[in-house]
Amino acid sequence: MARPPAARASLDYNKSNVSGKTFYLETFGCQMNAHDSEKVIGALMARGYEPVDTPAEAGLVLYNTCSIRDKAEQKVFHRLQQFQREAGKGKIFGVLGCVAQQEGERIFERAPHVSLVAGSASYTRLGEMLTQLEAGNRRVTGLSLDIDQAFETPFTRRDNPHRAYITIIEGCDKSCAYCVVPFTRGPERSRAGESVMAEARGLAERDYTEIQLLGQNVNSYRDPSPAGWDFATLLARVAEIPGIRRVRYTTSHPRDFGKSIVDAMDSNTAICDHVHLPAQSGSSRVLAAMDRLYTRDDYMRRIEWIKTAKRRYAITTDIIVGFPGETERDFEETLRLLDEVEYDSLFSFKYSPRPNTAALAMEDRIPEEEKQRRLVILQEKQRAIQIRRNAEWIGRTAEVLVEGRNPALGQWIGRTSDNRILNFTHPGGNGDSLAGRYMPVRVTRSGPNSLVGESASMV
Ligand code: 5AD
Ligand code: SF4
C-alpha cells in the first residue's frame, strides 16, 4: 500500500482551495512534542492550511514549545522577538505546548503580537480555536488542564515514512520536585488499548515497520476500557502485529517499571533491545529530596532484571547534576552508578529551577560553576564508558534500519535495535535508496557516540 506523503513535501491538494492559508510550525522539546506537532499539522492541513518552509512565507506562525529547562523556554521568546516586526504585516502568531500552558495569558503581555496560546491538553479544541482566529479574534486561549481524554486525530502527518510515533498515555501524575511536566501536560490519561492497536495496525498496513510508543510515563499505562491492559500487555500486543519489525517505548519511570516489561521484551524480539530508564541521581538521599519514589537499591534491582534477561539490552538514562542540596558525596554516588550500570548512553543536565515546582523553594542551591564542573566530570566519565562499550561491537554483525545517507562520508546511516547509530558503506550502490530497509552490517570501527561498518548483505 502507498505511504502517506511526508508533511512538508505533500502539497497534493488544489491550492486554489486553501484561500491563501499558510502555516509554519517549529517544534522544540521531546518526542511527545514532535508527535503533537505531527497531529497539529495534520489537523491544520485537513482544514486547508498549506505548510511553508519559512516563517516569512507563512500567514500563521506556530511554535510548539518546551519548558523543561529555562534555556528551552527562552528559545521561544527569542523567536517571537525575531519576528515581532512582521506582526504588522498580518501574520498571526501562536504559542503551543509547554511554555503556553505554563505562562498562559502572560504571553500576550510579553509578546503582544501573539494571538493564540494553547497547551497540549487543549488540542482536542484546536478546530474551535482556529475558527476563532479565522474570525479575527486576536486573544485565543486553550489553557484548561481539566481534561480526561487524550488528543486523537485521524489526520496525523508523520515526518518519517518508516518509523511512527503513537501516543499511549498523556500527562503525568508524579510530582518529581524538579519537574514542570505535571503542570504543563496535566494529569495522566491513557488511551484505550483497542484504539492504540487500530492505529498500529493501520500503520503496518501503510508499510511502517517501526513503532515508538510514547508517554511521559509509559509504565503507568492502564487501558481505560474493560480489557484493562497494563503496559507490558500492550507492548507485547503491538509487537505481535504482522509487519511491525521494531517497537520502542519512551519514557519510563523506575518506580512503575515492573519485571513484566522485561518478560514481554524477552518474549518477542520485535521489541527493541533498549531500555531508557532515567535514574536522575545515584544517591538515595537526593532521590528522596527529588520525590522520585525509589531508592538507589530499588533502581539497581530493575537494572539487574534487565541485565539478567534472555537478550542483551542497551540501557540508557537521564541524570540531573546540582539538584539543591546535592553534596560532593551524593555526586560521587552518581558517578559510581555510572560505573556500576555501564550505561550505553546518557543525557545529562544541570538542574534548572522551574516555576511551580517543589524544588523552587529548596535551600542549598548549587552555584552555576559547581553544576558545570559536575556536569563535565560526569560527561567525561560516561564518554570513557561509551568508548569501551562501543569497542566491544567491533567484529560483530548487527541488523540496522537504514535511516538515510551521509553523502559527505559516502556512508549510509543505520540504527541498531539497541539504538546505536551504525554508519556503513554498501558496495555496488546503484543509486537506489536503502532508506527504510533492514540490513545486516558488520562493525569495523567504533567511537564514543557511534559505530562504523560495512554492509554484510549479499544484495
Ligand atoms: N532541570 C534539569 N533537568 C531536568 N529534567 C527535567 N526537569 C529538569 C530540571 N528542572 C531532565 C530530567 C528528565 C529529562 C527529560 O529532563 O533528567 O528525565
Ligand atoms: Fe519539554 Fe517536558 Fe513539555 Fe516535552 S513534556 S516539551 S520535555 S516540558
Side-chain angles (χ1 to χ4, degrees):
M1 237 189 230
R3 288 187 192 108
R8 290 268 160 77
S10 67
L11 304 175
D12 51 2
Y13 44 83
N14 185 343
K15 280 193 181 181
S16 63
N17 286 341
V18 300
S19 5
K21 293 197 289 190
T22 52
F23 75 96
Y24 171 84
L25 171 63
E26 183 175 356
T27 308
F28 304 89
C30 61
Q31 287 115 320
M32 290 287 284
N33 251 22
H35 186 42
D36 281 347
S37 286
E38 292 180 334
K39 295 189 225 178
V40 168
I41 288 173
L44 284 165
M45 291 178 76
R47 233 183 136 86
Y49 282 81
E50 176 187 340
V52 292
D53 289 333
T54 63
E57 296 164 74
L60 176 62
V61 179
L62 297 172
Y63 296 106
N64 191 6
T65 60
C66 173
S67 64
I68 196 94
R69 283 167 292 274
D70 188 55
K71 240 194 205 162
E73 178 179 338
Q74 293 317 319
K75 278 187 196 160
V76 65
F77 289 107
H78 284 138
R79 285 289 193 284
L80 286 168
Q81 274 161 14
Q82 272 170 3
F83 293 104
Q84 193 136 26
R85 269 173 286 131
E86 307 266 353
K89 297 180 196 161
K91 281 191 201 313
I92 297 174
F93 289 84
V95 179
L96 305 177
C98 292
V99 176
Q101 191 66 52
Q102 180 192 294
E103 294 300 306
E105 303 200 3
R106 282 195 296 267
I107 292 177
F108 293 135
E109 289 158 33
R110 207 164 151 185
H113 57 303
V114 169
S115 303
L116 169 68
V117 175
S120 63
S122 299
Y123 295 163
T124 42
R125 287 185 42 230
L126 199 62
E128 189 192 314
M129 292 189 281
L130 287 168
T131 304
Q132 288 184 38
L133 281 178
E134 286 159 8
N137 187 342
R138 290 294 167 262
R139 285 289 180 270
V140 179
T141 55
L143 295 168
S144 172
L145 285 179
D146 185 16
I147 188 142
D148 56 5
Q149 273 185 337
F151 172 43
E152 292 181 39
T153 166
F155 303 119
T156 306
R157 283 292 176 143
R158 297 180 193 275
D159 263 351
N160 184 309
H162 314 293
R163 179 181 55 222
Y165 296 128
I166 299 185
T167 310
I168 62 165
I169 179 169
E170 287 187 2
C172 181
D173 281 350
K174 295 281 186 292
S175 44
C176 302
Y178 52 81
C179 189
V180 80
V181 171
F183 306 98
T184 63
R185 286 188 168 271
E188 255 177 33
R189 52 250 181 238
S190 291
R191 259 178 84 185
E194 252 324 306
S195 157
V196 173
M197 290 300 287
E199 187 170 358
R201 282 189 210 105
L203 288 163
E205 278 164 19
R206 284 180 293 149
D207 291 346
Y208 286 89
T209 57
E210 180 174 317
I211 281 179
Q212 190 159 344
L213 303 177
L214 290 184
Q216 292 305 329
N217 176 7
V218 289
N219 311 142
S220 67
Y221 174 83
R222 177 61 72 171
D223 184 356
S225 72
W229 293 351
D230 64 5
F231 175 64
T233 308
L234 180 71
L235 184 62
R237 296 281 148 82
V238 171
E240 282 163 8
I241 294 173
I244 296 302
R245 295 183 61 162
R246 286 186 174 182
V247 183
R248 300 185 186 278
Y249 59 92
T250 196
T251 189
S252 287
H253 189 296
R255 158 79 171 230
D256 302 323
F257 186 91
K259 172 82 166 54
S260 58
I261 298 173
V262 182
D263 295 340
M265 293 175 75
D266 275 348
S267 72
N268 192 333
T269 54
I271 305 173
C272 286
D273 303 345
H274 174 211
V275 181
H276 182 66
L277 199 62
Q280 311 301 357
S281 169
S283 153
S284 290
R285 213 184 61 82
V286 172
L287 290 172
M290 288 176 165
D291 210 1
R292 286 289 284 174
L293 309 173
Y294 56 88
T295 62
R296 181 195 175 106
D297 285 351
D298 296 333
Y299 183 82
M300 284 311 296
R301 202 165 313 126
R302 282 142 183 85
I303 296 295
E304 271 315 296
W305 295 339
I306 300 166
K307 289 204 167 177
T308 55
K310 287 192 193 142
R311 301 205 303 281
R312 178 178 170 145
Y313 299 119
I315 306 174
T316 59
T317 201
D318 295 344
I319 298 284
I320 297 176
V321 297
F323 186 76
E326 183 189 68
T327 61
E328 189 61 30
R329 222 171 123 182
D330 292 320
F331 175 58
E332 278 164 15
E333 287 192 46
T334 299
L335 295 178
R336 279 218 320 278
L337 182 75
L338 266 52
D339 281 329
E340 245 177 87
V341 178
E342 292 209 289
Y343 290 108
D344 294 85
S345 163
L346 69 73
F347 297 102
S348 50
F349 310 101
K350 288 184 279 189
Y351 167 70
S352 168
R354 305 311 296 131
N356 306 315
T357 58
L360 203 56
M362 288 182 187
E363 291 173 3
D364 295 331
R365 292 261 180 107
I366 310 295
E368 185 57 29
E369 315 80 72
E370 180 57 17
K371 286 193 232 176
Q372 182 63 27
R373 187 187 72 86
R374 291 181 191 178
L375 187 72
V376 169
I377 294 172
L378 184 96
Q379 290 179 341
E380 277 174 3
K381 175 174 272 299
Q382 180 58 25
R383 188 180 151 87
I385 293 171
Q386 285 179 207
I387 289 173
R388 199 168 62 238
R389 301 231 37 183
N390 283 344
E392 291 169 13
W393 277 83
I394 295 174
R396 288 193 211 160
T397 296
E399 185 184 64
V400 299
L401 167 57
V402 185
E403 294 191 341
R405 186 167 169 78
N406 183 336
L409 293 175
Q411 290 173 341
W412 293 96
I413 303 162
R415 190 177 291 270
T416 62
S417 168
D418 79 344
N419 212 33
R420 282 181 164 75
I421 295 290
L422 170 46
N423 298 321
F424 65 100
T425 50
H426 180 70
N430 53 7
D432 284 352
S433 176
L434 302 179
R437 282 177 56 182
Y438 288 82
M439 302 177 68
V441 174
R442 206 175 62 83
V443 179
T444 54
R445 281 185 289 139
S446 69
N449 298 312
S450 62
L451 307 172
V452 180
E454 50 200 30
S455 156
S457 80
M458 293 294 124
V459 277

Short mmCIF file of all heavy atoms in Angstrom, two decimals, residues 406-438:
data_model
loop_
_atom_site.label_atom_id
_atom_site.label_comp_id
_atom_site.label_asym_id
_atom_site.label_seq_id
_atom_site.Cartn_x
_atom_site.Cartn_y
_atom_site.Cartn_z
N ASN A 406 24.69 9.80 4.42
CA ASN A 406 25.58 10.93 4.65
C ASN A 406 26.50 11.03 3.44
O ASN A 406 27.50 10.33 3.34
CB ASN A 406 26.39 10.68 5.93
CG ASN A 406 27.30 11.86 6.25
OD1 ASN A 406 27.66 12.63 5.35
ND2 ASN A 406 27.63 12.01 7.51
N PRO A 407 26.13 11.90 2.47
CA PRO A 407 26.88 11.92 1.20
C PRO A 407 28.33 12.35 1.41
O PRO A 407 29.23 11.84 0.74
CB PRO A 407 26.13 12.95 0.34
CG PRO A 407 24.98 13.43 1.14
CD PRO A 407 25.07 12.90 2.53
N ALA A 408 28.58 13.24 2.38
CA ALA A 408 29.95 13.73 2.61
C ALA A 408 30.87 12.57 2.98
O ALA A 408 32.04 12.53 2.56
CB ALA A 408 29.93 14.77 3.71
N LEU A 409 30.37 11.62 3.74
CA LEU A 409 31.19 10.49 4.17
C LEU A 409 31.03 9.29 3.25
O LEU A 409 31.74 8.29 3.40
CB LEU A 409 30.83 10.09 5.60
CG LEU A 409 31.15 11.09 6.71
CD1 LEU A 409 30.63 10.60 8.06
CD2 LEU A 409 32.67 11.32 6.79
N GLY A 410 30.08 9.36 2.33
CA GLY A 410 29.81 8.21 1.46
C GLY A 410 29.28 7.03 2.25
O GLY A 410 29.54 5.87 1.94
N GLN A 411 28.54 7.33 3.33
CA GLN A 411 28.03 6.25 4.19
C GLN A 411 26.51 6.33 4.31
O GLN A 411 25.92 7.40 4.24
CB GLN A 411 28.61 6.41 5.61
CG GLN A 411 30.09 6.11 5.70
CD GLN A 411 30.64 6.44 7.10
OE1 GLN A 411 30.03 7.20 7.85
NE2 GLN A 411 31.78 5.87 7.41
N TRP A 412 25.92 5.15 4.53
CA TRP A 412 24.52 5.09 4.90
C TRP A 412 24.43 5.18 6.42
O TRP A 412 25.34 4.77 7.13
CB TRP A 412 23.89 3.78 4.41
CG TRP A 412 23.82 3.74 2.91
CD1 TRP A 412 24.72 3.15 2.07
CD2 TRP A 412 22.83 4.35 2.09
NE1 TRP A 412 24.36 3.36 0.77
CE2 TRP A 412 23.20 4.09 0.75
CE3 TRP A 412 21.67 5.08 2.35
CZ2 TRP A 412 22.44 4.54 -0.33
CZ3 TRP A 412 20.91 5.54 1.28
CH2 TRP A 412 21.31 5.26 -0.05
N ILE A 413 23.31 5.75 6.89
CA ILE A 413 23.12 5.91 8.33
C ILE A 413 22.14 4.83 8.79
O ILE A 413 21.01 4.77 8.29
CB ILE A 413 22.53 7.30 8.66
CG1 ILE A 413 23.46 8.40 8.11
CG2 ILE A 413 22.32 7.47 10.16
CD1 ILE A 413 22.79 9.77 8.00
N GLY A 414 22.59 3.98 9.69
CA GLY A 414 21.72 2.92 10.18
C GLY A 414 21.54 3.02 11.68
O GLY A 414 22.34 3.65 12.37
N ARG A 415 20.47 2.41 12.16
CA ARG A 415 20.25 2.36 13.61
C ARG A 415 20.01 0.92 14.02
O ARG A 415 19.22 0.20 13.39
CB ARG A 415 19.05 3.23 13.99
CG ARG A 415 18.90 3.41 15.50
CD ARG A 415 17.75 4.33 15.82
NE ARG A 415 18.02 5.70 15.43
CZ ARG A 415 18.60 6.63 16.19
NH1 ARG A 415 19.00 6.32 17.41
NH2 ARG A 415 18.79 7.85 15.75
N THR A 416 20.70 0.49 15.05
CA THR A 416 20.55 -0.89 15.52
C THR A 416 19.33 -0.99 16.43
O THR A 416 18.82 0.02 16.90
CB THR A 416 21.79 -1.32 16.32
OG1 THR A 416 21.90 -0.46 17.46
CG2 THR A 416 23.06 -1.23 15.48
N SER A 417 18.93 -2.22 16.69
CA SER A 417 17.80 -2.43 17.60
C SER A 417 18.10 -1.82 18.97
O SER A 417 17.20 -1.31 19.63
CB SER A 417 17.53 -3.94 17.74
OG SER A 417 16.66 -4.19 18.79
N ASP A 418 19.37 -1.85 19.38
CA ASP A 418 19.68 -1.30 20.71
C ASP A 418 20.01 0.19 20.65
O ASP A 418 20.63 0.73 21.56
CB ASP A 418 20.73 -2.14 21.43
CG ASP A 418 22.14 -1.88 20.96
OD1 ASP A 418 22.30 -1.27 19.86
OD2 ASP A 418 23.08 -2.26 21.68
N ASN A 419 19.56 0.82 19.56
CA ASN A 419 19.54 2.28 19.41
C ASN A 419 20.91 2.92 19.19
O ASN A 419 21.09 4.10 19.44
CB ASN A 419 18.86 2.94 20.63
CG ASN A 419 18.13 4.21 20.24
OD1 ASN A 419 17.61 4.31 19.12
ND2 ASN A 419 18.11 5.19 21.11
N ARG A 420 21.87 2.11 18.71
CA ARG A 420 23.15 2.71 18.33
C ARG A 420 23.07 3.19 16.89
O ARG A 420 22.40 2.58 16.06
CB ARG A 420 24.28 1.69 18.45
CG ARG A 420 24.73 1.46 19.86
CD ARG A 420 25.87 0.46 19.90
NE ARG A 420 26.56 0.51 21.18
CZ ARG A 420 26.07 0.01 22.31
NH1 ARG A 420 24.90 -0.58 22.33
NH2 ARG A 420 26.76 0.10 23.43
N ILE A 421 23.81 4.27 16.61
CA ILE A 421 23.97 4.70 15.23
C ILE A 421 25.11 3.87 14.63
O ILE A 421 26.20 3.82 15.20
CB ILE A 421 24.32 6.20 15.15
CG1 ILE A 421 23.16 7.05 15.67
CG2 ILE A 421 24.69 6.61 13.72
CD1 ILE A 421 21.94 7.06 14.77
N LEU A 422 24.83 3.20 13.53
CA LEU A 422 25.85 2.38 12.86
C LEU A 422 25.90 2.81 11.39
O LEU A 422 25.05 2.43 10.58
CB LEU A 422 25.49 0.89 13.02
CG LEU A 422 26.26 -0.16 12.21
CD1 LEU A 422 27.77 0.06 12.26
CD2 LEU A 422 25.96 -1.57 12.73
N ASN A 423 26.87 3.66 11.07
CA ASN A 423 27.03 4.14 9.70
C ASN A 423 27.81 3.11 8.90
O ASN A 423 28.73 2.50 9.43
CB ASN A 423 27.77 5.48 9.70
CG ASN A 423 26.97 6.54 10.45
OD1 ASN A 423 25.75 6.58 10.35
ND2 ASN A 423 27.65 7.37 11.22
N PHE A 424 27.44 2.93 7.62
CA PHE A 424 28.10 1.84 6.91
C PHE A 424 28.21 2.12 5.41
O PHE A 424 27.47 2.93 4.85
CB PHE A 424 27.34 0.52 7.14
CG PHE A 424 25.95 0.52 6.57
CD1 PHE A 424 25.69 -0.09 5.34
CD2 PHE A 424 24.90 1.13 7.23
CE1 PHE A 424 24.40 -0.10 4.81
CE2 PHE A 424 23.61 1.13 6.71
CZ PHE A 424 23.36 0.51 5.50
N THR A 425 29.17 1.45 4.81
CA THR A 425 29.32 1.52 3.35
C THR A 425 28.63 0.29 2.75
O THR A 425 28.54 -0.76 3.39
CB THR A 425 30.80 1.52 2.96
OG1 THR A 425 31.44 0.42 3.64
CG2 THR A 425 31.49 2.80 3.36
N HIS A 426 28.15 0.50 1.54
CA HIS A 426 27.46 -0.60 0.85
C HIS A 426 27.97 -0.64 -0.58
O HIS A 426 27.74 0.29 -1.34
CB HIS A 426 25.94 -0.35 0.88
CG HIS A 426 25.15 -1.42 0.20
ND1 HIS A 426 25.02 -2.67 0.72
CD2 HIS A 426 24.46 -1.40 -0.96
CE1 HIS A 426 24.27 -3.40 -0.08
NE2 HIS A 426 23.92 -2.66 -1.11
N PRO A 427 28.70 -1.69 -0.95
CA PRO A 427 29.32 -1.72 -2.28
C PRO A 427 28.26 -1.86 -3.38
O PRO A 427 27.15 -2.32 -3.12
CB PRO A 427 30.20 -2.97 -2.22
CG PRO A 427 29.61 -3.82 -1.15
CD PRO A 427 28.95 -2.91 -0.19
N GLY A 428 28.66 -1.47 -4.57
CA GLY A 428 27.78 -1.66 -5.73
C GLY A 428 26.52 -0.83 -5.64
O GLY A 428 25.50 -1.20 -6.21
N GLY A 429 26.58 0.28 -4.93
CA GLY A 429 25.41 1.14 -4.82
C GLY A 429 24.97 1.58 -6.22
O GLY A 429 25.74 2.19 -6.94
N ASN A 430 23.75 1.25 -6.61
CA ASN A 430 23.29 1.59 -7.95
C ASN A 430 22.40 2.82 -7.91
O ASN A 430 21.59 3.04 -8.79
CB ASN A 430 22.55 0.40 -8.58
CG ASN A 430 21.44 -0.08 -7.65
OD1 ASN A 430 21.17 0.55 -6.63
ND2 ASN A 430 20.81 -1.18 -8.01
N GLY A 431 22.56 3.60 -6.85
CA GLY A 431 21.78 4.84 -6.76
C GLY A 431 20.46 4.65 -6.05
O GLY A 431 19.82 5.61 -5.67
N ASP A 432 20.03 3.39 -5.87
CA ASP A 432 18.77 3.17 -5.17
C ASP A 432 18.91 3.58 -3.71
O ASP A 432 19.94 3.34 -3.10
CB ASP A 432 18.38 1.68 -5.18
CG ASP A 432 17.85 1.27 -6.53
OD1 ASP A 432 17.66 2.18 -7.37
OD2 ASP A 432 17.68 0.06 -6.74
N SER A 433 17.89 4.14 -3.17
CA SER A 433 17.94 4.49 -1.75
C SER A 433 17.74 3.22 -0.92
O SER A 433 16.88 2.41 -1.21
CB SER A 433 16.87 5.50 -1.42
OG SER A 433 16.90 5.74 -0.03
N LEU A 434 18.56 3.10 0.09
CA LEU A 434 18.39 1.97 1.01
C LEU A 434 17.50 2.35 2.19
O LEU A 434 17.20 1.52 3.04
CB LEU A 434 19.75 1.53 1.56
CG LEU A 434 20.83 1.11 0.55
CD1 LEU A 434 22.11 0.73 1.29
CD2 LEU A 434 20.35 -0.08 -0.28
N ALA A 435 17.10 3.62 2.25
CA ALA A 435 16.34 4.10 3.42
C ALA A 435 15.10 3.25 3.64
O ALA A 435 14.36 2.94 2.70
CB ALA A 435 15.95 5.56 3.23
N GLY A 436 14.90 2.86 4.88
CA GLY A 436 13.73 2.06 5.23
C GLY A 436 14.00 0.56 5.19
O GLY A 436 13.18 -0.22 5.64
N ARG A 437 15.19 0.18 4.63
CA ARG A 437 15.49 -1.27 4.58
C ARG A 437 16.17 -1.74 5.85
O ARG A 437 16.83 -0.97 6.54
CB ARG A 437 16.38 -1.57 3.37
CG ARG A 437 15.56 -1.59 2.08
CD ARG A 437 16.40 -1.79 0.87
NE ARG A 437 17.23 -2.99 0.90
CZ ARG A 437 18.08 -3.33 -0.08
NH1 ARG A 437 18.17 -2.56 -1.15
NH2 ARG A 437 18.80 -4.41 0.01
N TYR A 438 16.02 -3.02 6.14
CA TYR A 438 16.72 -3.65 7.26
C TYR A 438 17.87 -4.44 6.68
O TYR A 438 17.67 -5.25 5.77
CB TYR A 438 15.77 -4.58 8.03
CG TYR A 438 14.74 -3.81 8.83
CD1 TYR A 438 13.59 -3.31 8.23
CD2 TYR A 438 14.95 -3.54 10.18
CE1 TYR A 438 12.66 -2.58 8.96
CE2 TYR A 438 14.02 -2.82 10.92
CZ TYR A 438 12.88 -2.35 10.30
OH TYR A 438 11.96 -1.61 11.03
#
